[in-house]
Amino acid sequence: MQPPEHAFHAHLDRVLITQDAIRRRIGELGAEIDRDLEGAGEVTILVILQGSILFASDLMRALSLPVYLECLRVSSYHGGTASTGSVSMEVADLSALRDKHVLIVDDILDSGRTLHTVARRLREELDVRSLRTCVLLDKMVPRAVEFRPDYVGFEIENAFVVGYGLDYQGRYRNLPCIGTLAPCWIEKG
Ligand code: IMP
Ligand code: MG
Protein backbone atom coordinates (compact mmCIF):
# COMPACT_ATOMS: atom_id res chain seq x y z
CA MET A 1 0.00 0.00 0.00
CA GLN A 2 1.29 3.48 -0.87
CA PRO A 3 1.66 5.90 2.06
CA PRO A 4 -0.69 8.88 1.78
CA GLU A 5 0.75 11.95 0.04
CA HIS A 6 1.60 14.53 2.68
CA ALA A 7 -0.69 17.56 2.58
CA PHE A 8 2.25 19.97 2.59
CA HIS A 9 3.99 18.37 -0.39
CA ALA A 10 2.18 20.78 -2.64
CA HIS A 11 3.93 23.69 -0.88
CA LEU A 12 7.31 22.56 -2.15
CA ASP A 13 8.98 24.10 -5.15
CA ARG A 14 11.56 21.36 -5.51
CA VAL A 15 12.41 18.18 -3.67
CA LEU A 16 16.17 18.26 -3.03
CA ILE A 17 16.50 15.00 -1.10
CA THR A 18 14.03 12.13 -1.24
CA GLN A 19 12.92 9.97 1.66
CA ASP A 20 14.80 7.02 0.14
CA ALA A 21 18.03 8.96 -0.26
CA ILE A 22 17.81 10.09 3.39
CA ARG A 23 17.29 6.54 4.56
CA ARG A 24 20.22 5.19 2.54
CA ARG A 25 22.61 7.93 3.63
CA ILE A 26 21.72 7.50 7.30
CA GLY A 27 22.61 3.81 6.98
CA GLU A 28 26.03 4.80 5.65
CA LEU A 29 26.56 7.41 8.38
CA GLY A 30 25.62 4.89 11.06
CA ALA A 31 28.15 2.38 9.74
CA GLU A 32 30.88 5.04 9.60
CA ILE A 33 30.19 6.25 13.15
CA ASP A 34 30.07 2.67 14.44
CA ARG A 35 33.48 2.04 12.90
CA ASP A 36 35.04 5.23 14.25
CA LEU A 37 33.76 4.70 17.77
CA GLU A 38 34.37 0.99 17.94
CA GLY A 39 35.71 0.07 21.35
CA ALA A 40 34.73 3.42 22.87
CA GLY A 41 31.98 1.84 24.91
CA GLU A 42 28.97 4.09 25.17
CA VAL A 43 28.40 7.22 23.15
CA THR A 44 26.16 10.05 24.35
CA ILE A 45 24.13 11.59 21.57
CA LEU A 46 23.34 15.24 22.13
CA VAL A 47 20.37 16.15 19.96
CA ILE A 48 19.96 19.80 19.09
CA LEU A 49 16.24 20.45 19.32
CA GLN A 50 13.94 20.83 17.64
CA GLY A 51 14.91 20.32 14.03
CA SER A 52 17.08 17.26 14.61
CA ILE A 53 14.62 14.91 16.24
CA LEU A 54 13.72 12.97 13.10
CA PHE A 55 17.33 12.68 11.97
CA ALA A 56 18.56 11.72 15.43
CA SER A 57 15.91 9.08 15.94
CA ASP A 58 16.74 7.44 12.59
CA LEU A 59 20.50 7.79 13.08
CA MET A 60 20.33 6.17 16.52
CA ARG A 61 18.65 3.15 15.03
CA ALA A 62 21.36 2.91 12.38
CA LEU A 63 24.03 2.60 15.11
CA SER A 64 24.89 -0.62 16.80
CA LEU A 65 26.92 1.16 19.49
CA PRO A 66 25.21 1.53 22.83
CA VAL A 67 23.93 5.10 23.14
CA TYR A 68 22.74 7.49 25.79
CA LEU A 69 20.48 10.33 24.76
CA GLU A 70 20.55 13.97 25.84
CA CYS A 71 18.74 16.91 24.24
CA LEU A 72 19.44 20.62 24.11
CA ARG A 73 17.07 23.26 22.86
CA VAL A 74 18.87 25.84 20.74
CA SER A 75 17.43 28.41 18.39
CA SER A 76 18.86 30.91 15.94
CA TYR A 77 16.11 31.47 13.36
CA HIS A 78 13.24 32.84 15.43
CA GLY A 79 10.56 32.41 12.76
CA GLY A 80 12.19 33.71 9.55
CA THR A 81 14.19 32.16 6.73
CA ALA A 82 17.59 33.52 7.75
CA SER A 83 19.71 33.05 10.84
CA THR A 84 19.34 36.02 13.21
CA GLY A 85 22.93 35.94 14.31
CA SER A 86 22.06 35.34 17.95
CA VAL A 87 22.02 31.82 19.29
CA SER A 88 19.80 31.21 22.28
CA MET A 89 20.49 28.07 24.24
CA GLU A 90 18.43 26.86 27.17
CA VAL A 91 20.15 26.73 30.52
CA ALA A 92 20.31 22.97 30.69
CA ASP A 93 22.17 20.74 33.06
CA LEU A 94 24.63 18.98 30.80
CA SER A 95 26.71 17.45 33.56
CA ALA A 96 25.69 13.98 32.33
CA LEU A 97 28.10 14.58 29.43
CA ARG A 98 31.15 14.93 31.65
CA ASP A 99 33.83 12.40 30.75
CA LYS A 100 31.67 10.88 27.98
CA HIS A 101 32.20 10.28 24.28
CA VAL A 102 29.76 12.81 22.85
CA LEU A 103 28.23 12.97 19.38
CA ILE A 104 26.35 16.20 18.69
CA VAL A 105 23.57 15.67 16.14
CA ASP A 106 22.13 18.64 14.28
CA ASP A 107 19.86 19.00 11.29
CA ILE A 108 21.75 21.61 9.28
CA LEU A 109 24.94 23.62 9.37
CA ASP A 110 24.33 27.12 8.07
CA SER A 111 26.15 30.10 9.59
CA GLY A 112 28.01 27.76 11.94
CA ARG A 113 26.99 29.75 15.02
CA THR A 114 24.83 27.08 16.63
CA LEU A 115 27.37 24.28 16.56
CA HIS A 116 30.27 26.57 17.35
CA THR A 117 28.43 27.82 20.44
CA VAL A 118 27.36 24.36 21.62
CA ALA A 119 30.76 22.76 20.99
CA ARG A 120 32.56 25.57 22.82
CA ARG A 121 30.26 25.18 25.80
CA LEU A 122 30.91 21.43 25.96
CA ARG A 123 34.65 21.90 25.69
CA GLU A 124 34.85 24.75 28.19
CA GLU A 125 32.35 23.66 30.80
CA LEU A 126 32.46 19.89 30.58
CA ASP A 127 35.45 17.69 30.35
CA VAL A 128 34.07 15.47 27.60
CA ARG A 129 36.21 12.48 26.66
CA SER A 130 35.73 13.04 22.94
CA LEU A 131 33.52 15.28 20.85
CA ARG A 132 32.23 14.65 17.34
CA THR A 133 29.54 16.35 15.32
CA CYS A 134 27.14 14.93 12.77
CA VAL A 135 24.91 17.11 10.61
CA LEU A 136 22.39 15.88 8.10
CA LEU A 137 22.81 18.91 5.84
CA ASP A 138 25.74 21.21 5.17
CA LYS A 139 24.59 24.39 3.44
CA MET A 140 27.09 25.75 0.96
CA VAL A 141 27.34 29.27 2.37
CA PRO A 142 30.23 31.28 3.72
CA ARG A 143 30.24 30.58 7.46
CA ALA A 144 29.86 33.41 9.94
CA VAL A 145 31.90 31.22 12.29
CA GLU A 146 34.30 28.51 11.14
CA PHE A 147 33.01 25.05 12.00
CA ARG A 148 33.87 21.64 10.55
CA PRO A 149 31.52 18.76 11.31
CA ASP A 150 32.95 15.24 11.43
CA TYR A 151 30.03 13.68 9.56
CA VAL A 152 27.84 15.23 6.87
CA GLY A 153 24.79 13.62 5.30
CA PHE A 154 24.42 15.88 2.27
CA GLU A 155 25.86 19.13 1.02
CA ILE A 156 23.10 21.42 -0.24
CA GLU A 157 22.94 24.67 -2.13
CA ASN A 158 22.28 27.96 -0.36
CA ALA A 159 18.50 27.72 -0.10
CA PHE A 160 16.01 27.69 2.74
CA VAL A 161 14.78 24.11 3.08
CA VAL A 162 12.04 22.37 5.02
CA GLY A 163 11.01 18.82 5.80
CA TYR A 164 12.40 15.86 7.73
CA GLY A 165 12.51 17.91 10.93
CA LEU A 166 13.31 21.29 9.38
CA ASP A 167 10.60 23.89 9.75
CA TYR A 168 9.35 27.21 8.53
CA GLN A 169 7.51 28.93 11.37
CA GLY A 170 7.03 25.58 13.05
CA ARG A 171 5.50 23.83 10.04
CA TYR A 172 6.62 21.16 7.55
CA ARG A 173 8.70 19.15 10.04
CA ASN A 174 6.85 15.94 9.27
CA LEU A 175 7.42 15.99 5.51
CA PRO A 176 9.40 12.81 4.83
CA CYS A 177 11.64 14.47 2.20
CA ILE A 178 13.62 17.74 2.13
CA GLY A 179 12.82 20.52 -0.31
CA THR A 180 12.51 24.23 -0.92
CA LEU A 181 9.30 26.08 -0.21
CA ALA A 182 7.52 27.77 -3.07
CA PRO A 183 7.97 31.54 -2.58
CA CYS A 184 4.22 32.13 -2.24
CA TRP A 185 4.30 30.27 1.11
CA ILE A 186 7.02 32.51 2.54
CA GLU A 187 5.88 35.69 4.25
CA LYS A 188 7.09 38.91 2.67
CA GLY A 189 9.19 41.29 4.72
P1 IMP B 1 23.42 28.13 12.12
O1 IMP B 1 23.55 28.47 13.57
O2 IMP B 1 23.27 29.35 11.26
O3 IMP B 1 24.48 27.18 11.60
O4 IMP B 1 22.03 27.47 11.91
C1 IMP B 1 21.71 26.24 12.32
C2 IMP B 1 20.24 26.17 12.67
O5 IMP B 1 19.43 27.07 11.91
C3 IMP B 1 19.77 24.81 12.30
O6 IMP B 1 19.93 23.92 13.38
C4 IMP B 1 18.33 25.02 11.92
O7 IMP B 1 17.52 24.92 13.07
C5 IMP B 1 18.27 26.42 11.41
N1 IMP B 1 18.34 26.44 9.91
C6 IMP B 1 19.39 26.77 9.14
N2 IMP B 1 19.09 26.69 7.84
C7 IMP B 1 17.81 26.27 7.78
C8 IMP B 1 16.91 25.97 6.67
O8 IMP B 1 17.26 26.05 5.49
N3 IMP B 1 15.67 25.57 7.01
C9 IMP B 1 15.25 25.45 8.32
N4 IMP B 1 16.05 25.71 9.36
C10 IMP B 1 17.32 26.11 9.09
MG1 MG C 1 18.36 23.66 14.78
Side-chain angles (χ1 to χ4, degrees):
M1 202 173 72
Q2 284 289 97
E5 175 84 345
H6 194 286
F8 275 148
H9 248 131
H11 291 207
L12 296 182
D13 230 358
R14 281 181 304 146
V15 172
L16 298 187
I17 309 170
T18 64
Q19 184 175 9
D20 257 10
I22 295 171
R23 191 177 40 74
R24 274 197 307 273
R25 184 69 186 121
I26 289 177
E28 293 169 1
L29 287 172
E32 198 181 333
I33 295 169
D34 266 347
R35 259 198 318 275
D36 291 353
L37 282 159
E38 201 189 332
E42 259 157 7
V43 58
T44 303
I45 294 191
L46 179 65
V47 182
I48 308 301
L49 297 176
Q50 311 184 136
S52 309
I53 55 168
L54 274 70
F55 176 42
S57 69
D58 285 339
L59 182 66
M60 280 173 73
R61 283 174 285 186
L63 292 172
S64 45
L65 286 165
V67 302
Y68 257 70
L69 182 63
E70 294 287 333
C71 297
L72 184 64
R73 188 184 294 267
V74 180
S75 144
S76 67
Y77 263 56
H78 312 294
T81 59
S83 173
T84 57
S86 75
V87 176
S88 53
M89 197 187 316
E90 70 181 337
V91 186
D93 177 15
L94 295 176
S95 57
L97 303 183
R98 199 173 299 281
D99 207 30
K100 295 290 192 309
H101 293 287
V102 177
L103 176 69
I104 303 175
V105 175
D106 204 2
D107 49 5
I108 184 166
L109 178 62
D110 184 6
S111 72
R113 289 191 189 96
T114 301
L115 285 173
H116 175 83
T117 307
V118 174
R120 192 179 53 193
R121 180 168 166 197
L122 296 196
R123 287 213 173 87
E124 285 177 1
E125 292 177 24
L126 301 157
D127 210 5
V128 292
R129 186 167 294 181
S130 70
L131 184 60
R132 291 177 171 79
T133 310
C134 178
V135 295
L136 179 64
L137 306 175
D138 182 355
K139 211 185 264 194
M140 296 290 100
V141 284
R143 305 266 181 259
V145 189
E146 183 58 29
F147 191 87
R148 284 176 200 281
D150 300 281
Y151 307 98
V152 173
F154 302 91
E155 292 183 343
I156 62 162
E157 64 195 80
N158 184 9
F160 185 77
V161 293
V162 295
Y164 195 67
L166 293 144
D167 73 306
Y168 173 60
Q169 299 187 338
R171 301 206 179 87
Y172 306 104
R173 292 196 198 274
N174 63 326
L175 273 174
C177 60
I178 293 169
T180 55
L181 266 185
C184 63
W185 298 106
I186 298 173
E187 262 172 33
K188 304 280 176 292

